[in-house]
Amino acid sequence: MTVDEHQRVIEELQVVIDDTQHTIDRFEATGMDEQMPEDYDKLLDILDDAVKQQREHVMAMLG
């Protein structure tokens, strides 16, 4: 991948991270994290995966 391609993926992943974090915050604020623990865990998994992928692309760009 080119640097520009990595940068585009990093930016798109940031949108996923921001949106997922916003949803997690809403889950926690309304108690849905306790009412729907499986869905909450899925959100955490999505966030974790997006952060890991973003880190990989950053490292590839720097390497």
Side-chain angles (χ1 to χ4, degrees), residues 3-4 11 16 18 21-22 26-27 31 35 39 41 48 54:
V3 171
D4 289 340
E11 290 169 3
V16 172
D18 293 343
Q21 186 61 60
H22 179 69
R26 287 186 10 220
F27 253 66
Q35 295 174 15
D39 291 336
D41 287 342
D48 184 56
Q54 189 182 52

Side-chain angles (χ1 to χ4, degrees), residues 7-50:
Q7 186 61 42
R8 186 169 5 103
V9 172
I10 289 166
E11 290 169 3
E12 290 176 13
L13 284 165
Q14 189 61 51
V15 172
V16 172
I17 291 166
D18 293 343
D19 289 348
T20 305
Q21 186 61 60
H22 179 69
T23 303
I24 288 170
D25 292 344
R26 287 186 10 220
F27 253 66
E28 293 171 347
T30 59
M32 290 174 64
D33 55 326
E34 295 176 9
Q35 295 174 15
M36 302 172 69
E38 290 176 10
D39 291 336
Y40 182 71
D41 287 342
K42 288 178 187 177
L43 287 169
L44 294 175
D45 288 342
I46 291 168
L47 180 62
D48 184 56
D49 187 48

